[in-house]
Amino acid sequence: MKHTLVRRLSSTTALLIALLIIATASAAGSFFDSQANAPQVSGDPSSNMSAVFPTNKQNEPTIAVNPLDSHYLIAGSNDEQRQPPCGPGTVRGSVPANDCSFFPNVGTSGIYTSSDGGTTWTNRGLLDDQASWISSALVSDGDPVIAYGPKPTGTGSFSYANGARAYYATLASYKNNNGSYPPNKAPEYLAVSYSDDNGLTWSAPVLATTKDNPNDFNDKEWITVDDTPSSPYFGRVYVSWTEFRSAGNGSEPIMVTISTNGGASFGGPKQLSPAGNNGTGNGRQGSMVTSGPDGSVYVAFEQGSGHVVSISRDGGQKWTRPINVAAVVDIQDPIPGANFRTNSFLSIAADPRSGNTTLYIAWSQRTADGGRIWVSTSTDRGVTWGAPVQVSTSAEGYAFFQGLDVAPNGRVDLAYQALKTLNPATFGTGNATIDSFYVSKPTGGSCSAPIKISTASSDPSASAQNNLARQFYGDYNVLVSGATNAWFIYTDTRNGVGCPAIDQYQRIIAGTETVRGDMGDRIATRLGQNPYSHEPGNKPAPTEHCSSQFGNSDAFVSVITP
């Protein structure tokens, strides 16, 4: 009967149905995705298959688009392509087969470029492969963020007529621990390099903070450039971060520093928040800085149980006290069904249109139904904020690590990853899948329904910390908007496979102790400590107990046409 009815449809009805299908597809937009770190090891075309853990590991990706020509994009990530494989060898020497630790003096900040709008990418290696970095005293330590702005004119001003300059912010430390401190001190620094040729070559690193203290651990920096020609602070570069002043004492203010000369130097840091727990709440982390079309600068961050924003109207000289945006309940760490660390760090973006006063903040909020992406809006330059609106749904899964930006025409672009699990009470190979999703809000319109923008799912068990104690997806993803496209870059393990021996090891130690993450490994290694000395159980060796594609995590980019 059904087939009979279909055959009897009039030609007019059939045409209406076809038009409806086309209209629905058009409303959803289109997308494609590609691997940014291609090939996985720069200069080695076979490395997508031949690289083994941890050489095959990328995460915490970042991306920026040239504002003058959107064919050109630069991406980066925590990238271990120069790290030696686990176990004994010509680099590590005589070490246990399960030693996958970060090797001293090997950088971890990768560079990838595209000249065709993100269709194809070239892995340019690490910042440390650049001649300017080879001759410097610093080694890159990851947490990359890239931003574009105008080039200096040479007369103290900036102009896009000179072209666009890209800035790469990264954590850094002194090679061979050759700083001015004793061996038991290893402060983490912030460094910035710039490129005037769309990421092909980079300047020598410049320290972005002049505060030099052996007890400081600077972490989770962000960088932005005032890119509005009519702004009184056009071309100014801002870097924000969390300054952990001494381990365990709860002193962790949000800081910001400014460059007015195109990244040649940075001024003294300014403190935007209280340092200790004096009623405002600790847990200050995940800062993000952006600028508005009038030159206002906004540093947003998580403080205690809320998201807040500090504002400067004079180019970063004076800042407001943190203004409440919304209460936040951090998502579960780990997400049930997986074992990688998580957070609810926010994303902030300003509408770039001249005279506009609107800002958006997005984050992943823990709800009774799991992690959901929420967005709060300010229409008065960040002074007050509206009630949060949920934009992700249960259909996508447990949402985390969003990216947010506003296009030149005011279109809001938001993307995120979400996890689905077979059994939330455990974790391991085949138990969970991760995909990426996109939501848009056209000028004057409402948010679209989420659409999936990853062509293949990822299994988080294919990722791992270097100490193998947990899966690892980093701490953030990034989205950048252009006039006609949006680009979302994210950690992806579609090319990796899990390892049952590692799954078992992680389940044994889960809940028995607090295990340091990757940065803890790096600092411990630099101080000559064994990052594995206190872990229980017998750790497997990836080269002996796992498939060659274990640990393979990449930086993938979804290019969306809304």
Side-chain angles (χ1 to χ4, degrees):
M1 180 64 70
K2 182 184 295 184
H3 295 294
T4 301
L5 289 175
V6 169
R7 282 195 297 268
R8 290 178 179 174
L9 285 173
S10 70
S11 59
T12 301
T13 304
L15 177 61
L16 289 174
I17 292 175
L19 290 175
L20 178 60
I21 293 172
I22 293 172
T24 302
S26 299
S30 61
F31 77 94
F32 62 88
D33 57 8
S34 59
Q35 181 182 331
N37 58 307
Q40 200 157 55
V41 177
S42 176
D44 183 356
S46 68
S47 57
N48 280 340
M49 294 304 298
S50 63
V52 297
F53 190 76
T55 310
N56 61 5
K57 180 181 176 185
Q58 288 80 25
N59 52 73
E60 295 187 357
T62 181
I63 192 168
V65 60
N66 187 317
L68 302 180
D69 187 345
S70 61
H71 288 93
Y72 292 97
L73 296 108
I74 308 174
S77 74
N78 290 343
D79 192 323
E80 299 187 33
Q81 62 180 290
R82 304 299 187 211
Q83 294 287 328
C86 304
T90 56
V91 178
R92 295 188 186 273
S94 299
V95 298
N98 57 19
D99 183 351
C100 307
S101 59
F102 286 90
F103 199 77
N105 303 312
V106 177
T108 52
S109 295
I111 308 163
Y112 328 117
T113 64
S114 174
S115 58
D116 57 11
T119 301
T120 60
W121 292 84
T122 300
N123 183 346
R124 302 288 177 182
L126 305 179
L127 282 173
D128 308 78
D129 296 331
Q130 298 279 317
S132 56
W133 274 74
I134 292 173
S135 60
S136 79
L138 297 177
V139 60
S140 70
D141 282 339
D143 280 14
V145 184
I146 302 172
Y148 266 103
K151 286 179 63 175
T153 63
T155 60
S157 62
F158 296 85
S159 173
Y160 275 127
N162 285 5
R165 170 168 287 186
Y167 297 87
Y168 194 127
T170 177
L171 301 182
S173 57
Y174 279 107
K175 296 173 182 174
N176 298 311
N177 203 25
N178 282 337
S180 56
Y181 301 112
N184 64 333
K185 300 292 185 181
E188 195 71 22
Y189 296 96
L190 306 175
V192 175
S193 288
Y194 61 81
S195 172
D196 292 334
D197 56 10
N198 293 302
L200 301 184
T201 60
W202 293 85
S203 71
V206 173
L207 290 180
T209 173
T210 57
K211 187 169 184 179
D212 199 1
N213 186 312
N215 295 313
D216 280 359
F217 182 85
N218 301 297
D219 195 23
K220 285 290 168 285
E221 86 291 345
W222 208 267
I223 189 169
T224 198
V225 187
D226 188 326
D227 59 357
T228 305
S230 60
S231 165
Y233 311 109
F234 180 51
R236 193 162 291 195
V237 181
Y238 303 88
V239 177
S240 68
W241 73 97
T242 303
E243 181 187 327
F244 293 97
R245 290 180 172 169
S246 183
N249 72 355
S251 181
E252 47 188 44
I254 298 296
M255 311 292 290
V256 67
T257 186
I258 304 162
S259 174
T260 60
N261 56 13
S265 63
F266 286 81
K270 295 182 181 294
Q271 182 173 321
L272 304 187
S273 74
N277 190 355
N278 56 0
T280 58
N282 271 353
R284 299 180 192 91
Q285 254 285 29
S287 72
M288 188 173 184
V289 57
T290 194
S291 63
D294 66 340
S296 293
V297 189
Y298 307 89
V299 177
F301 53 96
E302 185 172 352
Q303 176 172 269
S305 59
H307 285 318
V308 298
V309 61
S310 183
I311 306 170
S312 175
R313 310 287 190 201
D314 61 0
Q317 301 309 304
K318 298 188 298 292
W319 295 82
T320 66
R321 293 186 176 183
I323 297 168
N324 290 327
V325 174
V328 60
V329 179
D330 287 336
I331 59 175
Q332 290 160 281
D333 181 6
I335 296 171
N339 190 34
F340 58 91
R341 78 183 187 203
T342 66
N343 61 67
S344 289
F345 296 163
L346 54 76
S347 304
I348 183 171
D351 191 316
R353 292 174 293 172
S354 178
N356 200 282
T357 59
T358 303
L359 295 104
Y360 303 89
I361 284 180
W363 69 97
S364 181
Q365 178 87 349
R366 181 175 178 177
T367 73
D369 298 321
R372 299 290 182 264
I373 303 300
W374 285 10
V375 176
S376 183
T377 303
S378 171
T379 58
D380 57 6
R381 301 193 302 165
V383 176
T384 60
W385 292 82
V389 175
Q390 180 176 312
V391 296
S392 70
T393 72
S394 59
E396 301 94 68
Y398 200 117
F400 64 98
F401 293 178
Q402 78 292 328
L404 171 73
D405 201 6
V406 184
N409 66 357
R411 182 193 73 243
V412 181
D413 296 312
L414 184 146
Y416 54 92
Q417 290 185 289
L419 180 145
K420 291 183 177 180
T421 183
L422 296 176
N423 183 359
T426 187
F427 60 86
T429 301
N431 190 58
T433 56
I434 294 173
D435 278 292
S436 295
F437 299 88
Y438 168 78
V439 172
S440 68
K441 180 181 180 295
T443 305
S446 56
C447 286
S448 68
I451 62 169
K452 188 167 73 169
I453 54 170
S454 50
T455 57
S457 299
S458 292
D459 185 341
S461 69
S463 67
Q465 294 180 173
N466 283 56
N467 61 12
L468 305 178
R470 294 183 71 173
Q471 301 162 1
F472 194 75
Y473 254 60
D475 287 328
Y476 56 86
N477 298 315
V478 175
L479 180 144
V480 64
S481 298
T484 58
N485 295 104
W487 295 265
F488 183 50
I489 190 167
Y490 46 92
T491 302
D492 191 288
T493 58
R494 70 181 67 183
N495 295 321
V497 296
C499 177
I502 300 294
D503 297 339
Q504 182 184 39
Y505 172 69
Q506 291 176 351
R507 285 193 288 263
I508 289 172
I509 66 174
T512 61
E513 68 168 327
T514 300
V515 183
R516 285 180 300 215
D518 276 2
M519 184 54 70
D521 272 4
R522 275 181 261 186
I523 295 301
T525 300
R526 203 154 66 240
L527 295 179
Q529 301 168 2
N530 178 0
Y532 311 118
S533 60
H534 301 296
E535 293 179 4
N538 296 315
K539 183 188 303 186
T543 54
E544 297 176 2
H545 301 99
C546 306
S547 163
S548 62
Q549 290 300 299
F550 167 72
N552 186 347
S553 57
D554 296 304
F556 261 73
V557 178
S558 289
V559 182
I560 308 111
T561 303

